Amino acid sequence: MNAAGPLPVIDVAALTGSGTGPGAGRERAEVARRIEAACLDSGFFYISGHGVPEALIAELRDAAARFFRLPEEHRSRISMERGGRAWRGYFPVGGELTSGRPDLKEGVYFGAELDADDPRPLHGRNLFPEEVPELRPAVLTYMDALTHVGQAVMRGVALSLGLDEDYFAAGYTATPTTLFRIFHYPPPPYAEPDEWGVGEHTDYGLLTLLLQDDNPGLQVHTARGWIEAPPIPGTLVCNIGDMLDKLTGGLYRSTPHRVRNCTGRGRLSFPFFFDPGWDCEVPPLPSLPAREGGRARWDGLDLRAFSGTYGDYLTAKVAKVFPGLGGQVLPPARGARENV
Ligand SMILES: O=C(O)CCC(=O)C(=O)O
Ligand SMILES: [Fe+2]
């Protein structure tokens, strides 16, 4: 496996800035061209120029580190069982089964801060730890900032597909589904060679924007084999999810990835998921030519066979990786779930 990782670093400042000066259109087109190349290749790239303040990132990292230093008994005060069908809160090491077996990670799940009685599964109130009061503002401000970054990168994706730059913001991401997680991967030893911090998987939505600490561990399955995606200061890792794969008829692939922390230290990571609106159906874009066949997916799933809303897709996925939560989050059967 490579040590440094050949994934490209794309400066997206032309997409995040107000960008009305002379040459702005040309700069955006150039960034879009680089996004297109990365999406056609591995579906993974780093972004710089994202505009998220360093001070906010430092606050988030410090607050998260403090939370994971709390005794387990205190972390469990915001345990996911208390979040119910909103799917929020803390889960311990082994609590999530990303690819069918327990991951060697613990974490906290957050989403948009909504009313506690929101009727939709995976929507509602976040659980924040009383012991680390600074976590709440850091998480909510960071999620806001990352929502802007997500919209900016999707402007580039739209341009790369020959669409109007606001194509997604005017539809699929007018009210995006946004989820945020903080993971702690304890140091090894791993008991068995096929144990993973996060097992091989693809992400569910449009884009994932991942902040890492200084510790490597993320691995990406490219056409050239598994490669590492080590942390690069000042950047976020961006990868495309199943819904962008589905929208583009498989032109932009959601690429499998996994995590193993071999550093001897705890690793913190902060994935933010920028996804279609809950009620959006996600058929292939009409402007793209229909594609036949294609590569077999890591999980044997044919994304084209899924019809239903993004909410249906996400709910079924969550019920799989958190079997204990399934009964709470799943609405009455709607027939779309078998294809997930
Ligand atoms: O922790 C990481 O580096 C990646 C996490 C991940 O792949 C995910 O949450 O979907
Ligand atoms: Fe992932």
Side-chain angles (χ1 to χ4, degrees), residues 181 183 185 198 201 203 210 218 257 259 267 269 271 273:
R181 306 170 179 176
F183 292 140
Y185 300 86
V198 172
H201 68 284
D203 295 341
L210 174 77
L218 176 61
H257 51 285
V259 173
R267 172 178 187 265
S269 77
F273 301 89

Side-chain angles (χ1 to χ4, degrees), residues 91 94-105 109 181 194-204 226 256-260 297-300 317-323 340:
F91 68 93
E96 183 170 14
L97 287 69
T98 298
S99 56
R101 56 181 300 174
D103 294 332
L104 291 182
K105 69 173 193 311
Y109 278 57
R181 306 170 179 176
D194 61 343
E195 273 190 329
W196 293 93
V198 172
E200 177 177 354
H201 68 284
T202 52
D203 295 341
Y204 311 145
W226 284 97
H257 51 285
R258 63 191 182 190
V259 173
R260 177 172 281 157
R297 257 175 70 97
W298 64 287
D299 53 1
K317 285 284 191 188
V318 170
K320 258 192 192 160
V321 299
F322 286 99
V340 176

Side-chain angles (χ1 to χ4, degrees), residues 1 12 22 63 70 72 90 94 100 108 113-114 125 153 192 195 200-201 210 237 253 269 277 294 308-309 312 314 317:
M1 208 164 328
V12 296
L70 292 173
E72 162 104 34
Y90 170 75
V108 199
E113 182 74 331
L114 299 166
R125 260 295 137 74
V153 177
E192 292 169 37
E195 273 190 329
E200 177 177 354
H201 68 284
L210 174 77
V237 176
R253 284 282 172 170
S269 77
T309 62
D312 292 332
L314 184 60
K317 285 284 191 188

Side-chain angles (χ1 to χ4, degrees), residues 2 6 45 77 83 98 123 154 164 182 201 221 225 290 311 314 323:
N2 68 304
F45 48 100
R77 286 181 186 158
T98 298
H123 289 70
M154 286 307 290
D164 189 81
I182 306 179
H201 68 284
H221 199 186
L314 184 60

